[in-house]
Amino acid sequence: MFIDRARIYIKAGNGGKGCESFYYKRGMRYRRRDGGNGGIGGNVIMRADPNVHTLLDFRYRQHFKAESGKHGGSNLKNGSNGEDRIILVPPGTIIRDEENGLLIRDLNSENEQVIAVKGGAAGKGNYRGRPATEGGQGQEKIISLELKLIADVGLIGYPNAGKSSFVNTVSEAKSKVANFPFTTICPVLGVVKSSQSHKRFVVADIPGIIKDAHKGKGLGLEFLRHIERTKLLLFLIDMSAAEGRQPVDDYLNLINEIESYDMQLMKRPRVLVANKMDLPASKENLKDFKAQIKEKIYRSSCISGEGIQKITEALFKKLNEAHRWENV
Ligand SMILES: Nc1nc2c(ncn2[C@@H]2O[C@H](COP(=O)(O)OP(=O)(O)OP(=O)(O)O)[C@@H](O)[C@H]2O)c(=O)[nH]1
Ligand SMILES: [Mg+2]
């Protein structure tokens, strides 16, 4: 299951009532109107916080309300405004109005925020010579949240090819590694830092893809939306053919699946990596692979560490060409 969609109910605060009040002292000819204004209702604000990584919390909590404005008082006392309610979501969260599907905001950059529902207007007190008014109702909405992870590099490979091992080797991520298919079911992000400069990039480990995934086989292809925004794809092929498939077939099938999901995705620059080069069968298989696939192929082993440095350098270089840097 992917915890990257959520539906929540949000309600902004109501405006506080204006006060209807009169001041009278013996000797005064007329009563004086002295009712103060109410306070404005608080807004519900959605903010992209870099320390939040999933929409998991929304599974347990789906109702959020901002504070209402306080009512006005006599003696021209204005009610205080209601506090805004700030809901933190991961950067990359798309917020829509559930009712009509309209986009409210695509919170792409860190600390970007949007008022999702506005607080009610303040009621007016009667001090102006007119009767006091009620405060406005705060808006309410059901909104849908969808998280598309923002990564620079997306990892594509069959189950068990070593994608998670690769991400764990190049970054500080702790993606689960095990010798069975579909170990990874939720996307995991890793930050790769350059040893020479302050540059970094984000790599996304996603579930494995198998032949006919576009027809729903395995875990399907729905999770590919997490890498729609990447600048670069890294194809990781198990060169040891431990599971009896031919590495060339794996590669061609993967390309086929990606194309059937989105032709545009295959137009991205890509890096092709032959993994598990520490295993004896891999060398021979790589020869056959090279005979058929005329692309630059990087060798790697997540066990011995072979090729890892070279691959990260190549990724830095390619991403540099794509001009998408963030400083640490
Ligand atoms: N010998 C060898 N084994 C590796 C290498 N890389 C990964 N493995 C092993 O291959 C198995 C699968 O590794 P994972 O990293 O979980 O593979 P994955 O591609 O993330 O698999 P899914 O999450 O199921 O798609 C584990 O037992 C790893 O220890 C490698 O370079 N050499
Ligand atoms: Mg994995």
Side-chain angles (χ1 to χ4, degrees):
M1 193 202 323
F2 302 108
I3 320 293
D4 46 15
R5 281 176 199 274
R7 235 170 52 120
I8 58 173
Y9 165 82
I10 50 175
K11 163 100 176 66
N14 297 330
K17 257 192 219 168
C19 178
E20 183 81 22
S21 154
F22 297 89
Y23 177 73
Y24 181 72
K25 212 164 64 173
R26 255 177 68 175
M28 279 171 75
R29 223 165 141 195
Y30 300 106
R31 295 184 304 172
R32 196 173 72 224
R33 297 167 199 264
D34 73 345
N37 297 328
I40 304 167
N43 304 312
V44 177
I45 295 176
M46 311 296 295
R47 180 184 293 165
D49 188 300
N51 299 317
V52 181
H53 302 289
T54 67
L55 297 174
L56 194 69
D57 287 349
F58 298 109
R59 274 175 79 193
Y60 308 107
R61 174 129 205 235
Q62 289 108 9
H63 289 74
F64 298 88
K65 282 185 182 166
E67 199 186 14
S68 290
K70 297 278 182 305
H71 301 317
S74 54
N75 199 13
L76 295 174
K77 224 176 3 184
N78 291 333
S80 52
N81 295 338
E83 283 232 18
D84 288 342
R85 178 70 193 253
I86 297 172
I87 303 176
L88 302 180
V89 294
T93 302
I94 298 170
I95 301 165
R96 287 177 197 281
D97 188 330
E98 175 79 8
E99 199 179 31
N100 49 26
L102 288 180
L103 181 72
I104 296 175
R105 183 71 76 87
D106 185 349
L107 291 177
N108 242 330
S109 39
E110 294 182 357
N111 296 319
E112 187 180 345
Q113 61 180 35
V114 63
I115 296 177
V117 282
K118 266 190 90 112
K124 295 253 175 5
N126 70 343
Y127 70 95
R128 306 152 304 142
R130 272 173 262 149
T133 59
E134 293 283 326
Q137 287 288 316
Q139 294 176 331
E140 59 185 328
K141 254 181 207 157
I142 294 177
I143 55 173
S144 70
L145 309 177
E146 184 187 11
L147 173 62
K148 288 194 182 186
L149 301 175
I150 302 173
D152 302 287
V153 177
L155 270 184
I156 306 279
Y158 262 71
N160 260 350
K163 298 179 296 302
S164 302
S165 310
F166 181 83
V167 169
N168 292 351
T169 313
V170 295
S171 72
E172 284 159 16
K174 289 184 185 61
S175 194
K176 196 173 161 204
V177 169
N179 194 13
F180 55 82
F182 302 116
T183 304
T184 305
I185 50 169
C186 285
V188 176
L189 293 188
V191 178
V192 184
K193 292 178 182 155
S194 164
S195 49
Q196 284 126 28
S197 66
H198 288 297
K199 303 214 164 126
R200 63 171 197 171
F201 66 83
V202 178
V203 53
D205 180 22
I206 58 169
I209 295 170
I210 56 173
K211 190 167 187 277
D212 288 336
H214 69 282
K215 294 181 189 155
K217 284 260 173 74
L219 291 181
L221 287 177
E222 214 222 340
F223 52 79
L224 279 182
R225 69 174 186 281
H226 296 299
I227 59 161
E228 274 172 17
R229 298 176 180 199
T230 56
K231 288 282 166 225
L232 209 151
L233 300 181
L234 189 151
F235 282 77
L236 196 75
I237 311 292
D238 174 359
M239 214 32 80
S240 70
E243 284 158 51
R245 299 180 313 263
Q246 285 305 309
V248 173
D249 293 343
D250 281 7
Y251 185 46
L252 298 179
N253 284 336
L254 287 171
I255 290 182
N256 213 348
E257 293 302 323
I258 302 290
E259 276 176 350
S260 59
Y261 176 79
D262 181 1
M263 278 303 273
Q264 295 301 321
L265 215 51
M266 266 328 284
K267 292 185 184 149
R268 301 270 154 90
R270 65 186 154 200
V271 170
L272 177 56
V273 175
N275 193 32
K276 304 201 184 177
M277 287 311 294
D278 55 296
L279 294 176
S282 300
K283 285 207 173 68
E284 203 56 35
N285 290 340
L286 183 61
K287 262 193 211 149
D288 294 344
F289 192 87
K290 279 185 167 164
Q292 295 179 65
I293 307 287
K294 301 288 173 216
E295 288 177 44
K296 170 128 186 80
I297 303 165
Y298 291 88
R299 303 155 54 104
S300 81
S301 165
C302 301
I303 304 289
S304 73
E306 176 192 346
I308 299 290
Q309 178 74 21
K310 234 178 170 177
I311 295 166
T312 39
E313 278 165 18
L315 293 172
F316 269 111
K317 192 156 167 264
K318 285 222 173 200
L319 283 169
N320 211 0
E321 288 155 13
H323 296 296
R324 192 167 182 274
W325 287 115
E326 294 167 79
N327 286 319
V328 179

